[in-house]
Amino acid sequence: MKREASSPRPNFEAEAKKIGFDYAYADGEPYWEESARYVFSLAEIEDRLEAATAELNALCLSLVENVVEHDDLMRRLKIPECAFDVIRASWRRRDPSLYGRFDFVYDGKSEPKLLEFNADTPTNLYESSVVQWHWLQSQIARGELPQDADQFNSLHEKLVARIGEIAPSRLLHLCCMSKNAEDAGTTAYLAECAREAGLVTKLLDMSGIGLKHNEFVDPDWRRIEFLFKLYPWEWMFADSFGKSSAVGRTRLVEPPWRMILSNKGALALLWDMAPGHKNLLPCYFEDDPQVERLGAKYARKPIYSREGADIELVDGVCIARGETEGYGREGYVRQAFCPLPVFDGRRPVLGCWLVGDAPAGLGIREDKALITSNRARFAPHAIVG
């Protein structure tokens, strides 16, 4: 694994516009990193990253199997009691998952270590799937990379196949907070995948979902049978319509059981299930006496938080803090502090994607700060040799 200079495409902005990559710049700052790339060997991808993704996914499914049978564990994860039966029924039906993303710290030398599992509303999907693939083809065509260069990226074809496989009807509704450019872009991309799979799609803002006779409906009062939501389960169950029996009557993606895996408490339960696992970091709930095993060096993470918000890195004293967004009311976990490696002043987080239960790709975000924030840049990668 190495980070190396990469020659930017002279027509990048036109290329980005052509493929609908409308958020290549965020708040006037570049989001897509065109002047650098990460390069891996095939063995690093297959034996380390892909293998860790598959193994941890299997471990996570075992965790869900255990948690759904124990109300005390669901309470430990601060899941509201109104969600218990919904989650349990969803798992017992084996409601299918579409995708997820494991975020790893990896330096090319040691085993990748899991920082968190984005099991519910992961973004940077379009750039991982389509944008960096276009970049790779351009780099090869321009002679910037060898003809046999490749990428850990089968996301698009797997997403199309998976959506077609799990669809209970021909119409897929997709919703998000549409004023967020990245959320809207991710949702629009999944709609495109669904159309390739032969489905009809309808895009909605979250405010466009109504409730009629205990069924979700769209603004045309049409029943919603199959819904992709880029909206966290903890928010949904806090909303009045999230407590409706309509939740159990709708095929939702991601399904309710993913709420078990989409909070940081799952990291503590995974460590308790598989202590010493080569791809896990020691992690405990903050009120667990065992937390003292971590000593004075740890990452303090709210059970529910996003984009690095309200996370603290502690080395005797707090050495870094994410943006304050008000997370943490439900409690915290402490995870062993495993600093991100530094390449040319940048700290990469490696996001390994699943589609269904299959490893499907890699997206890299890098930041200068110790805590990766929503201002991190996306850097493409290639497999060479």
Side-chain angles (χ1 to χ4, degrees):
M1 175 183 177
K2 60 183 177 180
R3 185 183 192 269
E4 59 186 29
S6 184
S7 175
R9 288 168 284 179
N11 60 340
F12 167 68
E13 291 191 18
E15 288 296 312
K17 186 175 181 180
K18 187 187 302 182
I19 62 173
F21 187 33
D22 299 326
Y23 47 98
Y25 294 85
D27 299 324
E29 294 292 323
Y31 164 59
W32 172 263
E33 177 57 76
E34 186 80 2
S35 63
R37 61 189 177 225
Y38 285 86
V39 176
F40 299 84
S41 69
L42 182 60
E44 284 179 302
I45 295 294
E46 292 184 341
D47 299 340
R48 291 283 180 85
L49 296 171
E50 192 171 0
T53 301
E55 187 168 339
L56 288 179
N57 181 59
L59 192 63
C60 284
L61 297 180
S62 296
L63 177 65
V64 176
E65 182 73 51
N66 183 44
V67 171
V68 296
E69 301 301 330
H70 297 89
D71 286 359
D72 60 323
L73 291 179
M74 287 211 258
R75 292 189 186 98
R76 195 70 166 124
L77 293 173
K78 304 302 181 183
I79 293 172
E81 298 212 8
C82 66
F84 286 10
D85 288 343
V86 175
I87 288 171
R88 193 171 284 121
S90 172
W91 174 252
R92 289 173 179 167
R93 289 192 303 265
R94 293 301 192 269
D95 289 348
S97 166
L98 176 59
Y99 73 132
R101 193 189 77 229
F102 288 104
D103 282 350
F104 290 109
V105 53
Y106 180 63
D107 60 4
K109 302 169 187 174
S110 307
E111 290 289 341
K113 300 290 188 181
L114 179 65
L115 294 173
E116 63 180 73
F117 184 22
N118 297 272
D120 186 13
T121 57
T123 53
N124 75 63
L125 180 65
Y126 185 58
E127 47 271 44
S128 296
S129 175
V130 174
V131 181
Q132 70 170 342
W133 183 254
H134 276 269
W135 167 86
L136 178 71
Q137 301 310 306
S138 172
Q139 294 296 96
I140 292 172
R142 295 168 61 209
E144 296 288 336
L145 285 170
Q147 289 293 317
D148 60 352
D150 202 354
Q151 203 169 73
F152 180 18
N153 186 1
S154 57
L155 274 162
H156 186 77
E157 41 281 37
K158 281 187 168 70
L159 285 166
V160 171
R162 182 66 172 171
I163 292 173
E165 175 185 306
I166 68 176
S169 67
R170 284 199 66 244
L171 175 61
L172 170 62
H173 288 80
L174 304 98
C175 64
C176 68
M177 305 293 281
S178 57
K179 290 184 179 179
N180 182 296
E182 187 175 10
D183 287 7
T186 298
T187 306
Y189 170 58
L190 285 169
E192 180 184 326
C193 292
R195 289 190 291 271
E196 273 194 50
L199 276 63
V200 176
T201 64
K202 186 163 186 176
L203 291 164
L204 302 172
D205 185 81
M206 283 301 301
S207 63
I209 298 177
L211 193 61
K212 180 181 179 182
H213 303 313
N214 287 319
E215 292 183 336
F216 292 136
V217 293
D218 66 20
D220 298 321
W221 299 101
R222 185 169 183 172
R223 181 190 171 198
I224 297 175
E225 298 179 50
F226 184 26
L227 176 66
F228 169 82
K229 55 157 202 68
L230 202 64
Y231 191 75
W233 272 112
E234 65 268 23
W235 296 0
M236 193 159 178
F237 280 122
D239 294 338
S240 57
F241 71 81
K243 298 178 177 67
S244 166
S245 60
V247 172
R249 297 176 180 175
T250 308
R251 175 69 61 80
L252 286 145
V253 176
E254 290 298 306
W257 62 264
R258 298 290 272 190
M259 190 177 186
I260 291 171
L261 300 173
S262 65
N263 69 68
K264 308 300 189 299
L267 297 169
L269 296 183
L270 285 168
W271 182 254
D272 185 62
M273 174 184 283
H277 191 287
K278 65 181 181 180
N279 299 123
L280 294 177
L281 292 167
C283 186
Y284 305 95
F285 289 97
E286 193 166 58
D287 61 1
D288 184 340
Q290 294 185 89
V291 78
E292 298 303 324
R293 295 181 179 183
L294 298 179
K297 193 170 184 178
Y298 54 85
R300 185 175 188 248
K301 299 182 175 183
I303 286 176
Y304 293 112
S305 71
R306 296 176 184 274
E307 302 285 2
D310 296 294
I311 289 175
E312 297 178 7
L313 299 182
V314 176
D315 188 358
V317 296
C318 180
I319 59 173
R321 180 179 284 112
E323 292 188 10
T324 301
E325 297 287 350
Y327 294 111
R329 290 184 296 273
E330 296 84 2
Y332 292 82
V333 297
R334 292 187 188 180
Q335 184 185 55
F337 180 32
C338 184
L340 297 171
V342 180
F343 293 82
D344 303 325
R346 299 280 181 172
R347 295 175 168 88
V349 169
L350 275 61
C352 288
W353 292 94
L354 286 166
V355 175
D357 293 322
L362 170 65
I364 301 173
R365 291 170 301 142
E366 57 175 20
D367 206 324
K368 291 181 178 178
L370 289 171
I371 297 175
T372 307
S373 73
N374 60 3
R375 289 188 295 275
R377 294 185 181 184
F378 189 100
H381 79 276
I383 302 170
V384 178

